[in-house]
Amino acid sequence: MASARHMGAAALMVALAVLALATGGSAKLQHEFYKGKCNGSDVEAVVKSIVKARFAREAPIVAYLLRMQFHECAVNGCDGGLLIDGPGTEKTAPPNLSVKGYDLIAAIKAELERRCPGVVSCSDIEILATRDAVALAGGPAYKVRTGRRDRRRSRASDVKLPGSEYTAAQAIAYYAKLGMSAYETVLLLGAHTVGATQCRVIKNSRLYGYGGKMGATDPAMDPTIASVYKKSVCPNVTKSDGNTVYLDDQWSALKVDNNYYKNLQRGRGVLLVDQNLYRDGSTRKIVDQLARNDGLFQSMFAKVLVKLSEVNVLTGKQGEIRKVCNKFN
Ligand code: HEM
């Protein structure tokens, strides 16, 4: 009896070993992947100190990095493709023309190349830097796995990002392709708790042409805020096109918190897609829940950023570790 149990255990071990061999070719992301790999330097600490110094003099870096992580990971995965310079690369696609923060990624890469050449990927730097900026801006502190490799592909024609006028259903369908649920869609848009846009993005869709009707303002917009936008921030003249509109209340526009959802409840969402999350009954419930509970938002936002950071990554021997982030080796 005992030996039969022994035999069973041995067979299980063999089966597990075979399984490990079969899947062993595809290396996985790991926590602290770079530990002990950078000539005595702590890679994550180096990234953090450079992000911290930048955040101290330019707090909007948190918005730049969050948007960068999204535009990076949603196009062929988190693979550094967005960072490549040159004609026809991802960076040149219209939605990416206003992405900022590339210089910070380049600075971190340069410092890490000095300490350990050819070790740390640009895609990992993007994810680590975003993580650090989010925590500095009052958001959650979270762990991320590393070990991403950089892809040798970057094409503007691959860039398919969502439109600012999407309905909630369209946004949900878009994120479903990235493996995200409706709940995760609402969480991801919570990134609009920081940063800004320009009047040109909301003038037609919300202030002066809602629903395709000339002169119509979105009836879901709080009339007080609509009047401020129309009178002072985005008057109906071309020269207001480039004026700044904060995506969250100005006092909260550099803070990662759930105030974005509270604003949606009051009709103070800025982009049409933001306010549409409250217009639609199915996503409204999620907005209400996140608006009530900042702790819940913080913990779930961390989870969804981690999930976004692991979309379609290259690992092991795939891709390359670039020497500089804006060029293939
Ligand atoms: C349906 C989904 C989304 C749409 C349609 C959308 C659209 C936009 C638009 C139109 C802007 C303004 C850009 C400009 O005026 O230059 C913007 C800004 C921003 N987006 Fe999104 N976005 C979406 C999802 C996300 C996600 C998932 C994240 C991050 C996880 C994100 C992070 C940001 C941030 C932080 C800004 C402010 C950037 C800055 O201040 O420079 N967005 N987004």
Side-chain angles (χ1 to χ4, degrees), residues 63-64 66-67 70 98 100 162-164 171 175 188-189 191-192 194-198 201 247 271 273 305:
Y64 306 161
L66 267 171
R67 186 157 183 243
F70 168 44
S98 53
K100 303 183 203 84
S164 67
Y175 285 107
L188 279 166
L189 273 150
H192 291 167
V194 288
T197 184
Q198 298 183 330
V201 180
L247 293 173
L271 304 177
V273 67
L305 289 179

Side-chain angles (χ1 to χ4, degrees), residues 140-154:
Y142 55 94
K143 288 201 171 84
V144 293
R145 282 176 275 266
T146 42
R148 292 169 192 74
R149 311 256 307 171
D150 301 326
R151 201 183 298 271
R152 293 186 55 83
R153 177 185 174 106
S154 174

Side-chain angles (χ1 to χ4, degrees), residues 29-31 66 69-70 73 77-78 123-124 127-128 130-132 134 140-146 148 178-180 184 187-188 297-313:
L29 298 177
Q30 299 167 22
H31 286 121
L66 267 171
Q69 174 169 331
F70 168 44
C73 296
C78 315
S123 39
D124 275 341
I127 301 304
L128 290 169
T130 305
R131 182 272 300 267
D132 293 335
V134 165
Y142 55 94
K143 288 201 171 84
V144 293
R145 282 176 275 266
T146 42
R148 292 169 192 74
L178 298 177
M180 304 287 178
E184 288 167 328
L187 276 170
L188 279 166
F297 165 68
Q298 300 273 346
S299 69
M300 298 310 287
F301 190 55
K303 285 203 171 78
V304 82
L305 289 179
V306 169
K307 183 163 174 182
L308 180 65
S309 83
E310 298 190 357
V311 170
N312 200 14
V313 294

Side-chain angles (χ1 to χ4, degrees), residues 70 167-176 179-193 257-262 264-265 273-292 296-298 300-302 304-305:
F70 168 44
T167 62
Q170 286 172 315
I172 291 168
Y174 177 88
Y175 285 107
M180 304 287 178
S181 64
Y183 192 83
E184 288 167 328
T185 300
V186 177
L187 276 170
L188 279 166
L189 273 150
H192 291 167
T193 176
D257 62 11
N258 70 339
N259 195 57
Y260 163 83
Y261 299 104
K262 293 184 187 167
L264 301 186
Q265 292 177 315
V273 67
D274 295 324
Q275 197 58 50
N276 282 345
L277 296 181
Y278 205 66
R279 208 182 311 261
D280 185 305
S282 70
T283 44
R284 177 184 298 182
K285 288 192 225 100
I286 307 171
V287 171
D288 284 335
Q289 199 190 19
L290 295 167
R292 269 197 305 273
L296 177 71
F297 165 68
Q298 300 273 346
M300 298 310 287
F301 190 55
V304 82
L305 289 179

